[in-house]
Amino acid sequence: MLFTGYKSYYGANLRLAVPVIISQVGQYSVQIVDTVMVGHLGEAVPLAAISFAYALSWPILFLGTGVAMGLTPLVGKSYARGDRTRSASLFKNSLLLGTAMSVVLMSLLGLMIPLMGYMGQDPEILPIARGYMWYQLASALPMMLFASCKQFLEGIGNTAHTMVIAIIGNVLNIVLNGALIYGWWIFPEMGAVGAGASTFIARVVMVLLFARLMFANADYRDYLRQFRKVGITLFRIRRLLNVGFPIAMQLFIEMAALSLMAVVIGLFGAVPQAAHQIAVNLPSLSFMVVTGLSAATTIRVSQDYGLRLYPSMRRAMNASLHMITAFTVCASLMVFLFGRQIAGLFTDEPAVIDIATHLLHFGCIFMVIDGFQGVILGALRGLTEVKRPMYYAIFTYTCISAPVGYICGFVWDMGAAGTWVAFTTGLAVLSCLYYRLFRKRYRSLTAL
């Protein structure tokens, strides 16, 4: 009976989510390929270096993509009401905002590079980590332009074209990874830094593909023609920031907490840090599925919200919760049973494999909780309820995860595993807070 009642919602959500999942999994598979290729360079130092660089660069880059994500619920609401002019206006202003935001990201990454030597890391990893960071800095602009185009297409309910572009970009990235890390054919052998160079090239190509799509597709060209009728306005920029900035801060806080895990684990040495880089790949890959269902939930909720179809809006969220729970439980079981074999795919170092296998057991619990909170957060974004989740994230990661991490990691001497316990505990509290907030918003809407 439960399946019958939700059957149409499962199908509708999956049609939106699957292209996002494929593009996100493809995008994150590049990081996995980075880890595998760098891990097989023969020692822990290059792998620890890119782990450190990821830890510092991704929170900053997510700050930018979070701002772009404010476009989806706003466009979704206007698209549901048939207002193309407003959708085009939001898109045009988002492109300008994304360009300005890229300057901010490049400045922050540039400031981070000289500070890397003061964070207690193994001195051997610093030259490689800095080289990778320079390429992350260079790719900030194409990343932001890609994010604006992606969020616009998701807002109007088209996720398939983004998937195709992402697949092309990811395949190019993987090929260039091998070429630039190992020096295949005519390419220079750049070692671990080559992974950053390939990411930059792929991001530029993806933006060019998006530009071609927008001009070649008749429906998208209609939105571009609307650009002549709409201007850059402070009102639209402010509206995008009102929704996007809290999303950006929530993502930044979450990614900063994950990055702090990597930095703290780095205090225990290069081997635990390399093991953490391997272990974090599986929950992160699972999160790409969470991201797809979360994006689908945001689209469905924002469109139903715009049409005031509140019961349908809630059922759309519940359908995503059913699917993500089933997926994360199955994925966690596979990781628990085959953790050592999975870790062995990334490196041949026995000490790294042992620690990574231990961390993956904690990752099993992490994946289930992360799936639950990710979908509810997507529903809240569809309602443009973004400020309170940001405050909840600040409270949870600073007042719960940080002290739990200190106690588990240093007082109870759990080492790297203590940081995983801390993050999972904070995420569980955050899930409860998000669910309570959605129920409160739903009651207020249906009481009107």
Side-chain angles (χ1 to χ4, degrees), residues 61-74 90 94 97 101 144 151 236-252 381 384-387 390:
L61 295 175
F62 265 80
L63 190 64
T65 55
V67 170
M69 288 173 71
L71 180 63
T72 298
L74 295 174
L90 287 164
S94 178
L97 181 60
M101 195 67 202
M144 285 304 303
Q151 299 305 141
R236 293 284 183 230
I237 296 291
R238 187 184 295 118
R239 184 67 179 134
L240 288 164
L241 283 173
N242 283 343
V243 179
F245 183 73
I247 295 176
M249 288 305 299
Q250 185 272 328
L251 285 172
F252 175 78
R381 288 171 181 166
T384 63
E385 179 63 72
V386 291
K387 289 186 178 179
M390 175 186 69

Side-chain angles (χ1 to χ4, degrees), residues 307-326:
L307 297 173
R308 296 181 175 86
L309 301 174
Y310 303 133
S312 175
M313 177 185 78
R314 183 178 184 180
R315 291 176 75 82
M317 185 199 76
N318 287 339
S320 291
L321 283 176
H322 299 163
M323 290 187 287
I324 198 59
T325 302

Side-chain angles (χ1 to χ4, degrees), residues 233-293:
T233 65
L234 186 60
F235 171 77
R236 293 284 183 230
I237 296 291
R238 187 184 295 118
R239 184 67 179 134
L240 288 164
L241 283 173
N242 283 343
V243 179
F245 183 73
I247 295 176
M249 288 305 299
Q250 185 272 328
L251 285 172
F252 175 78
I253 293 161
E254 184 172 339
M255 291 302 299
L258 279 168
S259 295
L260 186 60
M261 284 176 63
V263 173
V264 170
I265 289 170
L267 299 177
F268 299 112
V271 171
Q273 191 174 49
H276 169 74
Q277 176 61 21
I278 291 171
V280 81
N281 273 299
L282 273 299
S284 298
L285 185 59
S286 169
F287 186 68
M288 298 302 100
V289 180
V290 177
T291 300
L293 279 169

